[in-house]
């Protein structure tokens, strides 16, 4: 049996895909889906999020985005979600199908169901000043060189797509292939799919990794010790396994000393009766990136701060102020919306912003952590890499890159 430590979007996705492949798995997490995955906006936007120094990350993101439609459709089916319909914004007129995961469908039974709220209607990056426009032009040239589909738009064209945009928007860049999903619906669906497949999810905290103390396996990870206090006696003291996959997000560092650090993100959920936007909108305001992600049910997610504050998850007045101030510059109408929630999550950042996926260097222990800003996007690819697919991309994520070179010792 393989043991997955951590039930965020990454750990749950791995467990689900391994189980589908016929492998016996168990997940252990004191509070599944409560970490960064609970805070995440769910943008699947490798193209509009690309930065000049992060080409390897772009390759990973593009490869994972390609997997999302079938991942979502299979997940929706395995979780027993009602059959979906086409996304409302493509109006059923030949646009990309949601593959059974879109919004909304009432399945003939009352309240609408939005499935996973997976939508592939693109991301619009907008610019205000001449400097911003010049930066967009440069970005467009870079993306075109990489063969990524983008469309440069005038301010008027941007507002035609999104009428609620500020009149001061002077231009934009549309990445038509980018998508988004509701991460909370994804983790709920993953938990439902695991339950339907009979995969145990042990609600307990791992206090340490168990290592073989003798024999040919000496030093190898052979299971985990559980925090008994948390389980109140209802959980075993330890779980033995053929292999352990460490997918505990930013908490992976505590258990195996991997180079992952918390990058705090405060994020806000607003609510309106009708969706204010039909696609993700991003922009730079006062030198800070801000994005707005619409959900089919009228929720509008405004994100996110990026703060190096250790394990602090307090929501601050400054964070809320900056999010609203910047969002209002992009879409003035946001101030009319109801504030539904503000939370802070901890992105698991690595020194080079690439995830750590693959053998840890200690027999019996595999890593699947360090997904930083892109764990929702990268979840399908992560699960595939751990099953031996796409070795070239797996090499980019190999944890070996952070191990000291024995030759230099
Ligand atoms: P987590 O979701 O943090 O899950 C880790 C799990 O491990 C938790 O459930 C926790 O309970 C468990 N755990 C911890 N310690 C232990 C232990 N000792 N024993 C057992 N279990 C343990 N990504 C995108 O792709 N698109 C976005 O738009 C996006 N927006 C974001 C916005 C914000 C504000 C933030 C904070 C993040 C965002 N991200 C986004 C990043 C994304 O959320 C993360 O990369 C992703 O959630 C990481 O998933 P994970 O499963 O590795 O970690």
């Amino acid at each position: 049996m393989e043991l997955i430590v951590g039930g965020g979007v990454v750990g749950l996705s791995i467990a689900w895909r391994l189980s589908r492949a016929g492998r016996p798995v168990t997940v252990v997490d004191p509070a599944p889906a409560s970490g960064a995955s609970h805070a995440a906006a769910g943008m699947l936007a490798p193209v509009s999020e690309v930065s000049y120094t992060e080409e390897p990350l772009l390759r990973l993101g593009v490869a994972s985005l390609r997997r999302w439609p079938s991942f979502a459709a299979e997940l929706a089916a395995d979780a027993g979600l009602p059959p979906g319909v086409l996304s409302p914004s493509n109006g059923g007129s030949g646009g990309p199908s949601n593959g059974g995961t879109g919004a909304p469908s009432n399945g003939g039974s009352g309240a609408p169901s939005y499935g996973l709220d997976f939508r592939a209607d693109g991301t619009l990056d907008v610019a205000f000043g001449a400097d911003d426009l010049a930066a967009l032009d440069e970005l467009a040239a870079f993306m075109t060189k990489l063969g990524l589909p983008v469309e440069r738009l005038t301010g008027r064209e941007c507002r035609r797509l999104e009428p609620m945009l500020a009149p001061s928007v002077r231009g934009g860049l549309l990445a038509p292939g980018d998508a988004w999903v509701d991460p909370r619906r994804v983790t709920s669906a993953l938990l439902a799919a695991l339950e339907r497949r009979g995969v145990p999810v042990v609600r307990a905290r791992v206090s340490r990794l168990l290592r073989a103390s003798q024999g040919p396996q000496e030093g190898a990870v052979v299971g985990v010790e559980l925090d008994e206090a948390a389980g109140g006696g209802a959980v075993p003291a330890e779980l033995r396994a053929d292999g352990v996959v460490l997918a505990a997000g930013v908490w992976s560092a505590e258990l195996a000393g991997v180079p992952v650090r918390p990058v705090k993100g405060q994020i806000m959920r607003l609510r309106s009766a009708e969706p204010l936007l039909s696609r993700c909108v991003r922009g730079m305001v006062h030198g800070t990136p801000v994005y707005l992600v619409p959900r089919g049910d009228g929720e509008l997610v405004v994100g996110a701060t990026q703060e190096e504050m250790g394990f602090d998850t307090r929501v601050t007045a400054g964070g809320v102020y900056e999010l609203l101030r910047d969002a209002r510059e992009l879409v003035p109408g946001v101030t009319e919306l109801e504030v539904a929630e503000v939370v802070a999550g901890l992105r698991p950042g690595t020194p080079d912003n690439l995830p750590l996926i693959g053998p840890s260097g200690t027999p019996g222990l595999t890593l699947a952590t360090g997904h930083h800003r892109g764990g929702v996007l990268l979840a399908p690819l992560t699960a595939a890499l751990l099953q031996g697919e796409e070795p070239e991309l797996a090499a980019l994520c190999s944890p070996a890159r952070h191990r000291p070179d024995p030759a230099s010792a």
Side-chain angles (χ1 to χ4, degrees):
M1 177 269 286
E2 265 165 292
L3 193 62
I4 318 295
V5 177
V9 70
V10 172
L12 294 176
S13 297
I14 294 167
W16 172 57
R17 295 310 277 192
L18 287 180
S19 166
R20 267 180 79 97
R23 309 246 296 262
V25 285
T26 295
V27 177
V28 56
D29 189 321
S34 63
S37 309
H38 182 72
M43 279 193 297
L44 310 175
V47 173
S48 65
E49 290 234 309
V50 67
S51 89
Y52 300 105
T53 53
E54 293 185 335
E55 219 175 300
L57 190 58
L58 173 69
R59 287 179 60 197
L60 298 177
V62 168
S64 202
L65 178 58
R66 219 176 285 132
R67 292 175 178 270
W68 252 104
S70 58
F71 182 91
E74 286 164 21
L75 175 57
D78 263 21
L81 295 178
V85 293
L86 291 178
S87 154
S89 53
N90 61 38
S93 58
S97 162
N98 278 338
T101 60
S105 153
N106 63 19
S109 62
S113 158
Y114 289 87
L116 304 177
D117 211 351
F118 173 75
R119 309 249 306 265
D121 298 319
T123 304
L124 181 61
D125 259 278
V126 298
F128 296 94
D131 289 354
D132 290 349
L133 281 172
L136 272 195
D137 283 333
E138 257 179 60
L139 195 59
F142 177 65
M143 290 177 179
T144 307
K145 202 173 108 204
L146 295 175
L148 298 171
V150 286
E151 290 167 35
R152 183 69 170 82
L153 305 179
T154 63
R156 188 170 299 162
E157 287 168 333
C158 289
R159 275 182 295 278
R160 203 172 299 140
L161 283 180
E162 294 296 344
M164 300 306 283
L165 279 178
S168 49
V169 165
R170 288 180 56 191
L173 199 60
L174 179 70
D178 279 356
W180 68 100
V181 72
D182 184 341
R184 293 181 184 176
R185 290 173 187 268
V186 172
T187 48
S188 302
L190 285 165
L191 284 166
L194 291 177
E195 193 179 343
R196 284 162 66 110
R197 300 192 66 82
V199 172
V201 178
V202 179
R203 258 68 171 181
R205 186 182 155 273
V206 170
S207 49
R208 70 181 184 94
L209 303 174
L210 281 177
R211 289 168 191 264
S213 55
Q214 56 191 16
Q217 290 277 79
E218 192 176 339
V221 171
V222 290
V224 298
E225 198 176 271
L226 300 179
D227 195 340
E228 288 172 66
V235 294
E238 59 180 51
L239 287 170
R240 297 262 161 183
D242 300 317
V244 171
V245 178
L246 185 56
V250 74
W251 297 276
S252 305
E254 287 170 6
L255 291 169
V258 289
V260 174
R261 70 178 200 289
V263 181
K264 177 179 176 179
Q266 300 189 50
I267 189 164
M268 181 178 284
R269 283 165 169 81
L270 305 176
R271 192 166 294 288
S272 64
E274 291 296 320
L276 213 59
L277 298 172
S278 56
R279 57 180 55 68
C280 290
V281 170
R282 298 159 41 95
M284 289 294 274
V285 182
H286 307 295
T288 315
V290 61
Y291 55 75
L292 293 98
V293 180
R295 305 258 183 255
D297 61 1
E299 185 177 271
L300 185 70
V301 182
V302 178
T305 66
Q306 291 222 51
E307 305 163 68
E308 302 275 349
M309 299 284 290
F311 282 83
D312 171 22
T313 51
R314 287 170 310 141
V315 170
T316 63
V320 171
Y321 167 71
E322 277 171 34
L323 288 175
L324 278 178
R325 179 198 62 191
D326 297 351
R328 192 180 66 161
E329 294 272 331
L330 290 187
V331 177
V334 294
T335 52
E336 304 297 322
L337 306 190
E338 181 190 342
V339 176
E341 182 193 279
V342 194
V343 294
L346 300 174
R347 306 173 185 90
T350 59
D352 57 8
N353 291 341
L354 288 168
L356 297 158
I357 306 168
S360 68
T362 299
L365 181 65
T366 300
L367 301 184
T369 183
H371 292 72
H372 198 202
R373 301 186 323 248
V376 183
L377 168 64
L378 296 175
L381 180 69
T382 302
L385 296 184
L386 290 187
Q387 289 177 275
E389 294 178 42
E390 309 214 42
E392 249 186 72
L393 296 180
L396 296 175
C397 308
S398 166
R401 72 189 188 277
H402 292 301
R403 282 202 287 274
D405 177 1
S408 68

